[in-house]
Amino acid sequence: MKDISYHTPDALLAAYAAGNLPHPYALVVAAHISLCVECRVSFEAHQAAGGVVLDSTEAVGVSDTLKTDIMALLDAPVISKPVHKRSGIYPGPVMEALNGKPPRWKSLGLGVRQSIIAGGADGNVRLLYIPPGQAVPDHSHNGLELTLVLQGSFSDETGCYGAGDLEVADQDLQHTPIADAGLPCICLAATDAPLRFTSLVPRMLQPLFRI
Amino acid sequence: MHVSLDIEPADRSSFLGLQKDVPKVTPPSPKISPQTLWMLAVRDQRDKAAFASLFDHFAPRLKGFIMRSGTGSGQAEEIVQDVMLTVWRKASQFDPARAQVSAWVYQIARNRQIDMIRKEGRPLPDELNENPETEPDASQIVALEQEAGHLKSALTKLAPDQREVIEKAYLGELTHQEISSQMGLPLGTIKSRIRLGLQRLRHELKDMR
Ligand SMILES: [Zn+2]
């Protein structure tokens, strides 16, 4: 894999380490850390800082039975949940969201496909499959949009993003990502609100496809 | 408000000096903190007495930490119980050259608090496949603990309002927008720690591929 040029901004990493990033973003950041040594190290540095805060926290006495309760449970059998590991181009956190199964693609026309892998009140995460030369449907978004490239590459007004790169687009950015020549571009995209399409037809399709 | 936790270069030379002081023949080095030694005894020997010592150190701090976010005493103790049991069960994942014990416990505690709020739980990155032959030596562990120690003393020297911003951030009470506007990226700060970690991680990744 070529070197990663676009990384997770430090504030997002700190919020992720502290557990205060909305779920859709947390999933994309976890996937980027899985692929990127630099961001893993920064993430671990934030964990270290969190540990320092924990260590400096004033102690509060615990009840007398807590320790004996816990000691008595050490040998109790544990049912451990299976962990879904990286598979092909999909990092562990993506496989986890897919429940270990391959993505179920839905066509958006012109060879573009998507698979929504997580969604809820705080936004959604989807995989996008874009054939070379195709554009992601013209869209704007209400809040922050994070896009992690898993295969191939795309280019837009802000640069060229290859495998492992993370594009961070705020709501002011009106961009048109186009997949580059070569392998179809597969990326993981998170928004904290439904996407708004700027052209009429996709806007009508929006409720249909949950995009 | 912009907060900086930068570590003075002068401080850094001290741990280089320390590495010389680490005795060659008697691992584990006496410079390694008791918490790390207990954690290693739990990991490698499943030592319950060491676990009891970890409990005595961390349980009251964890309870204080959890209650700061507004959780009541009873529920806080339930979370402490879950966290301490996870420390015991997942001990094999502890790597003293990558995280001081408090960092590792911090992460388990935040994961647990989030899991209680959301049904999906927090997405976690892939584990690195550790190569058993890259077992860290005592000097790497000591170096990392020194970094954490520098960070801790830097934190205590901050003005109270600055310190509060950092504490709130790691208690999970600030959004990423608030972190970016209020902290002025202070944690690009643990720069020497980052460099140390990078060297080792690059090495590990080479072994993995
Ligand atoms: Zn990165």
Side-chain angles (χ1 to χ4, degrees), chain A residues 171-190:
Chain A
Q171 54 195 351
D172 302 327
L173 180 69
Q174 185 88 5
H175 60 149
T176 312
I178 295 175
D180 299 322
L183 283 175
C185 179
I186 297 179
C187 44
L188 180 72

Side-chain angles (χ1 to χ4, degrees), chain A residues 94-179:
Chain A
V94 175
M95 289 310 292
E96 197 69 43
L98 287 166
N99 238 322
K101 300 184 192 97
R104 297 171 59 174
W105 296 106
K106 282 189 180 169
S107 173
L108 293 180
L110 298 170
V112 177
R113 294 182 240 163
Q114 78 165 355
S115 170
I116 295 172
I117 64 170
D122 54 359
N124 66 58
V125 187
R126 58 205 183 128
L127 288 162
L128 280 166
Y129 175 105
I130 310 154
Q134 269 314 322
V136 175
D138 203 16
H139 68 280
S140 55
H141 31 90
N142 296 321
L144 189 70
E145 180 186 49
L146 300 183
T147 309
L148 173 67
V149 180
L150 300 176
Q151 174 188 293
S153 64
F154 71 79
S155 300
D156 69 9
E157 291 80 346
T158 66
C160 171
Y161 298 83
D165 283 335
L166 179 75
E167 180 181 45
V168 179
D170 68 18
Q171 54 195 351
D172 302 327
L173 180 69
Q174 185 88 5
H175 60 149
T176 312
I178 295 175

Side-chain angles (χ1 to χ4, degrees), chain B:
Chain B
M1 179 194 345
H2 284 251
V3 182
S4 170
L5 280 183
D6 256 331
I7 293 157
E8 293 301 315
D11 290 348
R12 212 170 295 136
S13 58
S14 60
F15 84 73
L16 292 176
L18 242 170
Q19 285 182 320
K20 269 187 295 185
D21 296 337
V22 174
K24 284 204 177 83
V25 257
T26 51
S29 155
K31 304 275 186 195
I32 297 178
S33 71
Q35 290 87 337
T36 300
L37 295 175
W38 293 328
M39 195 59 229
L40 290 174
V42 166
R43 185 189 76 177
D44 300 334
Q45 280 97 44
R46 306 306 278 153
D47 182 333
K48 288 182 182 171
F51 179 79
S53 303
L54 280 175
F55 177 93
D56 293 338
H57 179 82
F58 280 108
R61 284 176 171 79
L62 274 169
K63 186 174 174 186
F65 182 82
I66 294 159
M67 286 180 72
R68 278 188 70 176
S69 335
T71 307
S73 172
Q75 203 192 356
E77 290 206 354
E78 281 172 36
I79 300 174
V80 171
Q81 174 163 332
D82 286 344
V83 172
M84 291 309 299
L85 283 174
T86 305
V87 167
W88 173 258
R89 287 167 186 160
K90 301 217 166 144
S92 64
Q93 293 174 7
F94 174 69
D95 177 350
R98 298 248 311 276
Q100 82 273 25
V101 183
S102 61
W104 195 64
V105 174
Y106 165 77
Q107 209 50 199
I108 292 172
R110 290 301 297 143
N111 289 347
R112 186 66 201 126
Q113 285 177 285
I114 295 157
D115 287 355
M116 290 183 61
I117 302 167
R118 303 187 50 93
K119 69 173 181 351
E120 294 102 327
R122 170 153 61 151
L124 298 173
D126 277 316
E127 292 286 329
L128 288 180
N129 297 323
E130 297 284 340
N131 183 335
E133 280 160 36
T134 58
E135 189 62 28
D137 59 28
S139 68
Q140 282 175 296
I141 301 173
V142 169
L144 184 134
E145 291 188 337
Q146 287 280 314
E147 295 298 334
H150 288 151
L151 193 63
K152 190 169 180 174
S153 64
L155 187 69
T156 54
K157 283 179 201 143
L158 286 177
D161 57 337
Q162 295 184 321
R163 184 176 165 165
E164 204 191 324
V165 171
I166 301 225
E167 289 176 343
K168 277 171 84 172
Y170 289 106
L171 280 161
E173 289 170 4
L174 299 184
T175 65
H176 63 93
Q177 295 96 333
E178 289 165 340
I179 289 174
S180 124
S181 63
Q182 296 184 31
M183 281 178 44
L185 304 191
L187 302 161
T189 64
I190 324 164
K191 285 173 200 140
S192 48
R193 154 89 179 89
I194 288 177
R195 272 199 297 275
L196 255 179
L198 255 184
Q199 274 176 339
R200 183 167 149 72
L201 275 167
R202 286 217 174 95
H203 192 70
E204 278 170 7
L205 285 185
K206 221 170 58 197
D207 292 339
M208 267 170 64
R209 295 204 168 158

Side-chain angles (χ1 to χ4, degrees), chain A residues 4 6-8 32 36 38-39 164:
Chain A
I4 294 173
Y6 297 95
H7 294 279
T8 311
H32 179 81
C36 177
E38 313 265 334
C39 288

Side-chain angles (χ1 to χ4, degrees), chain A residues 11-81:
Chain A
L12 284 176
L13 277 175
Y16 171 69
N20 203 24
L21 205 53
H23 187 75
Y25 300 150
L27 178 46
V28 177
V29 169
H32 179 81
I33 292 172
S34 300
L35 303 173
C36 177
V37 182
E38 313 265 334
C39 288
R40 185 185 290 271
V41 170
S42 303
F43 165 56
E44 291 186 352
H46 287 298
Q47 291 180 317
V52 165
V53 170
L54 170 63
D55 229 19
S56 323
T57 299
E58 218 167 295
V60 173
V62 295
S63 53
D64 297 339
T65 52
L66 185 62
K67 188 174 178 180
T68 43
D69 286 353
I70 293 178
M71 296 303 291
L73 283 168
L74 295 186
D75 293 323
V78 189
I79 308 147
S80 52
K81 243 183 10 164

